[in-house]
Amino acid sequence: MRAKKIGVLTGGGDCPGLNAVIRGIVRKGVQEYGYDFVGFRDGWRGPLEGDTVPLDIPAVRGILPRGGTILGSSRTNPLKAEDGIRRIKENLAKYEVDSLIAIGGEDTLGVAARLTDEYGINVVGVPKTIDNDLSATDYTFGFDTAVGIATEAIDRLHTTAESHMRVLVCEVMGRHAGWIALHSGLAGGANVILIPEQRFDVDQVCAWVTSRFKASYAPIVVVAEGAMPKDGEMVLKDGTQDSFGHVRLSGVGEWLAKEIEGRTGKEARTTVLGHIQRGGTPSAFDRWLATRFGLHAIEAVRDGDFGKMVALQGTDIVRVPIADATAKLKTVDPELYSEVGVFFG
């Protein structure tokens, strides 16, 4: 009999730990279940266009500490492609793929849920996002690495800010959820943390900044890219949208620095961390979590438990419906945010 063949893809933004998931899937799938694997290139573009790469144990050797993804990634939305569903089904049949493991965030897994629920394609999901904003899982891999990178950057900004007695604004990622800003800002000793879940008052930010200068201290402001002022809108890099309808963010840090400088008379500069947060080797925690997700994802395939996503709840890896995990974003609770307010100003 033909060995069961599983397709694997990584979609959306790249993320530290993706290769660890792929490695866990392939190692267990081959060694314990005798499965064959095929890698689909660049997220949903792979099954849409039939673009594949070999995926076996030699292919996953040495990739555990590597950032990015050996399969490539993209923000392709097959549901908006012409004859997208038909093309995916034909390519899965062409490569004799019995089921798919889709590793991704809100958009990638949203497609996975619809392919299973509406079109009968066998898909298991693995949650991936540095934003940590997927419901039903306590943490997503990539988040810990991003927070560590941002925290180190904030630590370094303190010394240069104090040397010149200027305000330094650090813009971190976080479109709709401020988890990276909250965790790195608190860990890095920031004097102001601004998140998308709470609109901010520029005058209050300036008051906090002024308070720190009175104490002969140069303030650090951490702001998530999706944070918005009370009397303004989200700052966009440009108005173009990707295939999932997302616009490119970035610029709130620069805008805020100009506002602070104009209102307080204190020199303010901006550091935008951007894709630095996504790059490089994953942390030990992210390697651990990503590997466990991979091991449990292939178990879900073995059990025929499709339409499910593996998730971390406490210390256990569980399975939850993909649709439940993507129905609502996990955002910062106002009470949690208020806890750190004691350090502002």
Side-chain angles (χ1 to χ4, degrees):
M1 292 179 62
R2 178 180 67 85
K4 196 169 188 178
K5 184 179 285 188
I6 317 300
V8 182
L9 63 86
T10 54
D14 66 299
C15 178
L18 283 167
N19 288 323
V21 180
I22 297 167
R23 173 177 173 269
I25 290 169
V26 173
R27 286 287 298 270
K28 186 163 187 173
V30 172
Q31 292 174 194
E32 295 197 10
Y33 306 138
Y35 294 161
D36 291 331
F37 290 89
V38 58
F40 285 104
R41 289 280 306 166
D42 302 335
W44 289 113
R45 188 189 69 80
L48 187 67
E49 299 181 5
D51 190 356
T52 67
V53 294
L55 197 56
D56 51 20
I57 287 182
V60 300
R61 243 177 230 132
I63 68 172
L64 177 63
R66 285 176 55 183
T69 165
I70 62 170
L71 297 179
S73 192
S74 74
R75 298 191 184 277
T76 303
N77 185 352
L79 301 177
K80 289 189 175 180
E82 185 176 355
D83 293 328
I85 303 302
R86 177 188 60 79
R87 290 161 61 188
I88 286 178
K89 286 186 172 182
E90 287 181 354
N91 283 319
L92 293 181
K94 174 183 176 181
Y95 291 102
E96 300 182 306
V97 171
D98 303 287
S99 54
L100 280 171
I101 297 178
I103 311 165
E106 171 194 7
D107 298 321
T108 300
L109 295 181
V111 170
R114 290 192 59 185
L115 291 181
T116 299
D117 296 342
E118 299 178 24
Y119 302 104
I121 297 174
N122 297 329
V123 187
V124 168
V126 176
K128 173 261 0 166
T129 168
I130 67 169
D131 289 338
N132 197 42
D133 59 0
L134 278 175
S135 297
T137 185
D138 292 346
Y139 287 99
T140 53
F141 67 88
F143 172 67
D144 184 71
T145 303
V147 168
I149 291 169
T151 300
E152 181 182 356
I154 295 166
D155 286 345
R156 293 176 181 275
L157 290 176
H158 275 290
T159 58
T160 185
E162 291 165 6
S163 297
H164 295 275
M165 288 304 291
R166 59 167 63 120
V167 186
L168 287 185
V169 179
C170 181
E171 181 184 306
V172 300
M173 285 185 167
R175 177 179 293 270
H176 300 298
W179 294 108
I180 294 176
L182 184 68
H183 282 241
S184 64
L186 181 60
N191 309 111
V192 182
I193 302 171
L194 307 175
I195 62 175
E197 294 87 341
Q198 300 279 335
R199 283 181 175 259
F200 61 87
D201 185 331
V202 178
D203 288 333
Q204 178 63 73
V205 173
C206 291
W208 284 326
V209 165
T210 301
S211 172
R212 297 312 293 168
F213 276 115
K214 288 180 179 179
S216 299
Y217 187 86
I220 302 293
V221 178
V222 174
V223 56
E225 62 185 354
M228 293 179 285
K230 285 185 176 179
D231 301 321
E233 299 299 326
M234 189 178 289
V235 179
L236 308 179
K237 195 171 186 68
D238 57 56
T240 59
Q241 297 183 351
D242 64 20
S243 61
F244 291 96
H246 299 310
V247 292
R248 294 177 65 194
L249 301 185
S250 187
V252 66
E254 190 66 34
W255 176 87
L256 183 59
K258 290 179 181 177
E259 290 291 319
I260 291 173
E261 188 166 306
R263 298 186 190 204
T264 67
K266 300 293 185 179
E267 185 180 5
R269 300 288 179 86
T270 306
T271 298
V272 181
L273 297 186
H275 289 79
I276 290 174
Q277 297 157 93
R278 292 190 182 279
T281 187
S283 67
F285 177 82
D286 281 340
R287 298 184 202 190
W288 174 85
L289 179 58
T291 298
R292 292 191 71 199
F293 276 162
L295 298 176
H296 283 262
I298 198 63
E299 286 184 0
V301 170
R302 177 203 60 185
D303 295 342
D305 200 5
F306 301 114
K308 298 291 182 63
M309 181 190 86
V310 293
L312 178 69
Q313 294 183 1
T315 58
D316 297 327
I317 305 296
V318 300
R319 300 173 193 169
V320 298
I322 299 175
D324 291 352
T326 57
K328 182 181 179 181
L329 289 177
K330 181 180 68 180
T331 53
V332 176
D333 186 279
E335 291 187 10
L336 180 60
Y337 181 64
S338 68
E339 286 182 6
V340 306
V342 67
F343 297 107
F344 293 0

